[in-house]
Structures are given as C-alpha cells and as structure tokens.
Amino acid sequence: MEQAGKKKDTVYFPDDGSSRITVNISKCRKCSYCIQICPAKAIKLGRDSIKIFPERCIFCGSCITACPQQAIGYESALENVKGLLSGNEKTIACIDPAFPVMHDIGSARQFVTALKHAGFKEVWEGAFGAELISQRYRTLLTDGTDKTLISSFCPVVVFYIQKYLTQLIPYIAPVVSPMIAIGRVARAIKGADWKIIYITPCLAHIKEMSAPEVAGAIDDVITFRDVRQLLDSRGIQSSTLAETDFDGPRPFLGRVISVVGGLYRSTGAHFDILMDEITGTYGHRRVIGALKQLASGRIKAKFFDFVYCSGCVDGPFTDTELSVLGRRQLVIRYAKDEMSRQDVSKVIAELDSFEYIDLHRNFLNMEERLPTPTEEEIRAILKKIDKLPPNRNMDCRACGYPTCRDKAIAVVQGIAEAEYCLPYLLEQSKKIYQQLKKSHNQLKISHQELEQAQAHLLRTEKLASIGQLSAGVAHEINNPLGTIMIYAHLLLKGMDKDDPRREDLELIIGEANRAKEIVQGLLSFARETKLRQGQMSVSDLLEDVLSLVVNQSLFHNIKIEKSFVQDMPTIVADETKLKQVFLNIILNAAQAMEGSGKLTISTIIDKKHIKVKIQDTGPGIPPENMGKLFSPFFTTKEKGTGLGLAISYGIVERHGGKIDVDSELGKGSTFIISLPISTNEEDAKAERHLNRLSFQNKITGRKNYGQKN
C-alpha cells in the first residue's frame, strides 16, 4: 500500500498528486472499525469500500494502524527518496528524536552507518530542532503575560484545531515544530542544493511538510517503516556495521521531546503544577475532550502540552512490539547516555549560534464545519432506518457511530449512508427473504398448476386426435363386421346341430360380437353426444351404481365402506354418463383387488366442487403406468379394450370436472372425481361453455402459431 505508483485495486484520497491516504478495495471488508476510531469524521462507508474525505482528515494515522484487514495505507515518498539516493544527490537524513525505539536495527551510530550505506551523505539528529524550539517556548512561558498557550509541537493536534476548533487558533504557540526547525537549520547551513529528508514515526509530518506556512523547510518525509524497507531492499543489516558519529549540530535535553512531557521538560522552565500553571494530556480521546473543554472555557492554564498519541514513541509507524513504557525507556536511556558525554557549555554556545533561525509560524484557518441538521431532518433519517420511536435505538456502534442519533446526524451531514445500519440491513434482509420465500411458494404453486394444465391440454389434444382416428376406424370396420355377422348367422342357421363346423362359426360370431363392442366403444369415445343434463344428487347416483354391482359375484368378498356428506348440494349433470364413469372405476377397482379387499367410497365438498373418492386396497399402479392411465387402448387386462378410463375422463371433462389418481404399490389406488357445484342448469351450461371456449382458443392459438412459424 505504501509504494508509489497507482494500483488497480487502490483508491487514492485525494487524487491530486499530494500526500494521500490509500484504500485497497479488495481488502476492505467494510467493517466500519476505522469510522469508529476516526476523531475527525473523515471516513464514510461506501458501496464498494470506505471513502476518506482528505479535507477533513487530521492525518493521525489511527485508521491505518487499526484496520484489521490492513486495507488502509498511505502513499509513501520512499520511491522518490530512492531516486535521490541513486542519483547521487546531496542528501541529509534528519532522524526524529523517537528513533531509539527501533532498537532491533542496532545502536544509534550503527543506524547512522546504515543510512550512509543506503546513500545519504549526512545523518542528523532531528532532536536539535527540538532543542531550538524549547528555547523559544521558554521565552514565551516566562514573558510575564497571562496568555494561554497551546503547544504546536504535535501536528495532529494543530490540524484538529485548524479544522474543528478554529476559535483556539490564536492560542497556538507561534512556533514551528521540531521537524521544520531542523529543516531550516539544515537549509541555512548546507544551502538550497541539498535535499533534506525527515524520518519520522508520524503520518502528520508528511502533510505538515507541505503546509504553506512552512513549505520549503523539508524536501521529503519518510517513515520508520519506509526506512526499514529501504535497508531491507539493499541488504543492509545495521547490527553488523561499524559505528559512525552523527553529522550536524548536536542536541542535548531535546532528545526527550518524543516522550509525554518531554517538551516542557526540555524548556527548563519551572512552574507549579499544583497552581494549574501548566497541564497536559495525551491520547486522542483525552486530548480532543480537553480541547473542547478549553474552547468552552471550562478549563484554564498557562500552558497546555497536548500530544495526540502517547508521545511520538507511540507514533503509527514505530512498528515495534515493545510497550509504550518500553519505548519511552529506550529514548530516555539514549538521551542520558549521550548527555553524559557532552559539555553543557558547548551545547549552549552552539544553540546561541542559531538565534537567527526563524522559528516563528502563523496558523491558517482551515475550518471544516459540517451543517447543523434540524430535528425534523434527524427524525426523518431515524424513521428511515426504523429507529423511531427512541426506544428502538440500539446504539450498537456497528455503523461506526456511538449512537443511532449520531449516525442520523452524520447522514444529514453527508458523511454517512443511511442504509449502512446493521440492524436495519438485517431487518430488510429478513423482509426480502420472506418476500422471496412467498414468491418462491407462489411460483412453485403456479409451476405445479402450469404442469397440470399442460398435462391436461396434452391429454385433451391427444384424446381429440385419437377420437378422430377412432371414429374413422370404427366407421370403416363397422360395415364389413356387419356383413361377417350376417353371413355367419346364415351359415349357422343352415347347419345341422351336429355339424363339426358349427363350433367354429359360433366362435366367429362370438369374436365378431366382441369386435362390435369395441367398435361401439370407439364410437362412444369419438362421438361427443349431447349431454342430457338435469339436477341430481351425487350420493343418490353412487347408491344406484353400488346397487347394480353389490350382488355380482366379483363383489362377494369385497367390503364396501361409504362416507357421504349429508345435505350435499345437487349438481347439474348427465346421470347416465356419470353412472358410466363411477361404474367403470368401481369395476376396475374390484378387478384390481381380484374380488377380495376393501372398497371405500366417500364424498367431500371443496369450495365450488364435489369430490368423489374411490379407494381400493389393490396392488397399486406402477409409477411407469401412471401417465398412461387415461390414454386410449392402454390396459393391463387380458381382455380389456383400454377405452374405459379414456371415455370416463372425457365425460368428466365435459362436465367441467377432472379426474386425479393417487397410488402406492402394495397399498392400493385412489381415484378422485371432481365435479363443479351449480345451483341451476344454466350455471352449469355457462361453465361448460367457458371450458369449451378455453379449449378451442388453445387449439386455435396453436394452429395460428404453427402457420406463422
């Protein structure tokens, strides 16, 4: 993320060639953790990844170090610096006073040697800049005025005041930071042709370098992390090198400025802490809270020393496993060791020689004030994300904001999206799931109905086609069959009773009669004879059918159970035709049970239909035969014509009903005949007419389609 040059999966903020924060969109998981820890409300959760508002950013680096996916980074100047070093430019490396925290790379002077091996001509201690500004702070603190001063040492704190607490700008000490101070010293001593590179653990120094009030003091800024990459890329191991002394002027107590309280300690001033003449704090929550209280007048002091991190030793790019306390001890140990080798009088004399260096700074107003939403606007957003009434506020912080109200305010201000609320998204997902589930069920039902309709249409078309064929076949067979029967009877009449040929003629006549029955069946199937309809009771009709078969030998060992609905409404139907249907199905059931079993006949009223269920305990119908049941000429009987069920199907269909079959091998079969309920014959005629029209329209549509295509 820190390497120069654009990457396809990287978004730059801003995209104008300046110091930029970067976001790797392929790594970002939109967890909103960065939003939670950002003190400047500079991050917005977008559709693909987070979006950073550079104008609002205070460059604290908290989002970079906190991101669990390491998706947030910065555009480093390391490649630029490598170019300077490779080009043999005259370069000075000014090292931040916090550098002893990089204890794993060797001693301080081995580090100097390593940097020179990397290509730097000189290596200076940045702490000398701290030494100079400490003198200036001592002057300000002892000038006898009561004016409140806020240290300008930490650039993050300065940026926050410049953007969000502009009323405190007059109280910022008019002094440059140690980085700018050492840069101006190096520029004054070495000249404009030297390149001054500051090495820091702080992201804000990268942005501070280009501030218009101090521009030109530093040419480039790289981090401790960048330096490690530089040495690694060139195979330089500091701990194996000889020691080399620092170049440039040497600091003294300014070396401790990177620890909390180090600035005031290095001034040498003496104020009574118990008299509230000096105070300070560190950590972004404490610092921002104190700044807001200072702006409101709730706290007062002579001098406020605010450090955003836990001192510079806790900068975002220290990259060490040591605790802050451990890092602090490393810096103090180094400072004590170096000061013990120095002559204080020489240090003071050297400091005095740089009195001409301009350490003054004014601070620009960079106010980033967000609009103040009205109560109506806030409530509108809360209502949108289902957080009204107030007792629905969960304040779960999943969005990055401490309360639902804060989130609503941010939405109105344009720095957040209303939709990115976890409970809201979960609730919406639940609703969408329920809708999809409902749609799925409806689609499933529609699909089943469509399949049934298609099967019905196919069966109807098939029956119509077979019916036409059957009518033609029956007509052609009927005439020669009649001739055969006439002459067979004439021959039989003229034969003696003991003629051996008589048996053959009787067989011919018997088979001819059987053929005649088949022909009659074909004609019954093919011809749509007019229905003789009238009001009738289904229960009475079933009783009549049962009375016809109950005494037949086939039913002697069959137990018949009846369950008819009382006071069942009548229907308008052709009694003879329906008797044919019920008789055919009941006989088939008895034959399937081979004259032994249980036959259950029941009626059910279902909305606009009467359903007749005829259930047997036979062997059941094999699955492969289920789709053929109503096909003409399909039969499993030795002497069956295969027309009974096909004719029955046609009769029921002409009555506006349908036949369904349910069967399980080894348990039996159930035929369900559904017939429409009608209060009068006219209603029945209307329903049959509509069914017939629907069927004709389907046939016509198919024909038209075939003609067009």
Side-chain angles (χ1 to χ4, degrees), residues 14 39 48 59 84 109 118 302 316 331-332 347 357 382 467 535 550 565 602 609 643 652:
D48 298 321
F59 305 95
L84 294 175
R109 286 170 175 75
K302 172 71 174 179
V331 171
I332 292 174
V347 172
I357 298 297
L382 289 172
Q535 295 284 345
V550 70
V565 175
S602 57
H609 291 83
L643 290 172
V652 173

Side-chain angles (χ1 to χ4, degrees), residues 570-643:
T570 60
I571 65 170
V572 177
D574 187 319
E575 182 176 350
T576 302
K577 295 292 186 182
L578 285 188
K579 276 186 178 180
Q580 183 181 350
V581 171
F582 294 142
L583 184 61
N584 182 274
I585 295 175
I586 289 172
L587 287 173
N588 282 349
Q591 291 168 359
M593 292 186 289
E594 297 180 348
S596 179
K598 184 171 76 172
L599 181 68
T600 305
I601 304 173
S602 57
T603 57
I604 303 170
I605 298 177
D606 179 19
K607 295 182 179 178
K608 296 183 177 181
H609 291 83
I610 291 176
K611 293 185 177 182
V612 179
K613 295 177 67 175
I614 301 174
Q615 184 177 4
D616 64 61
T617 57
I621 303 168
E624 62 270 17
N625 291 343
M626 289 292 289
K628 308 174 186 176
L629 285 180
F630 301 104
S631 298
F633 310 115
F634 174 77
T635 182
T636 58
K637 303 175 185 176
E638 291 183 2
K639 294 186 177 182
T641 63
L643 290 172

Side-chain angles (χ1 to χ4, degrees), residues 630-698:
F630 301 104
S631 298
F633 310 115
F634 174 77
T635 182
T636 58
K637 303 175 185 176
E638 291 183 2
K639 294 186 177 182
T641 63
L643 290 172
L645 285 178
I647 293 171
S648 298
Y649 184 91
I651 292 171
V652 173
E653 187 183 57
R654 291 178 63 196
H655 281 81
K658 65 176 183 177
I659 302 179
D660 294 311
V661 185
D662 186 22
S663 183
E664 186 175 352
L665 287 176
K667 292 187 177 181
S669 303
T670 303
F671 282 74
I672 304 170
I673 301 98
S674 298
L675 297 167
I677 299 172
S678 184
T679 57
N680 55 62
E681 189 173 353
E682 292 300 319
D683 290 342
K685 286 182 179 179
E687 184 168 354
R688 289 193 300 276
H689 181 65
L690 288 173
N691 290 336
R692 192 176 292 109
L693 286 177
S694 177
F695 176 75
Q696 290 174 350
N697 289 335
K698 290 178 181 177

Side-chain angles (χ1 to χ4, degrees), residues 85-105:
L85 300 178
S86 300
N88 206 30
E89 294 276 357
K90 293 185 288 186
T91 54
I92 300 176
C94 296
I95 313 174
D96 189 90
F99 81 91
V101 301
M102 296 191 290
H103 62 96
D104 55 315
I105 62 174

Side-chain angles (χ1 to χ4, degrees), residues 192-209:
D193 58 335
W194 280 71
K195 302 296 182 181
I196 304 165
I197 313 300
Y198 196 77
I199 302 173
T200 176
C202 178
L203 180 68
H205 280 144
I206 300 174
K207 194 64 178 177
E208 182 194 19
M209 176 192 75

Side-chain angles (χ1 to χ4, degrees), residues 9 23-32 34 45-46 48-51 67 69-72:
D9 59 353
V23 177
N24 187 315
I25 58 178
S26 64
K27 289 184 177 180
C28 179
R29 295 294 180 267
K30 298 190 290 185
C31 65
S32 78
C34 54
L45 193 59
D48 298 321
S49 67
I50 61 165
K51 177 183 179 182
C67 179
Q69 307 299 330
Q70 297 183 332
I72 308 176

Side-chain angles (χ1 to χ4, degrees), residues 136-145 147 149 264 267 269 271 277-278 302-304:
R136 186 60 53 91
Y137 274 100
R138 182 165 57 246
T139 301
L140 292 172
L141 292 173
T142 57
D143 64 359
T145 66
K147 182 182 178 180
L149 290 177
Y264 175 67
T267 64
F271 291 95
E277 293 177 306
I278 182 170
K302 172 71 174 179
F303 180 58
F304 290 94

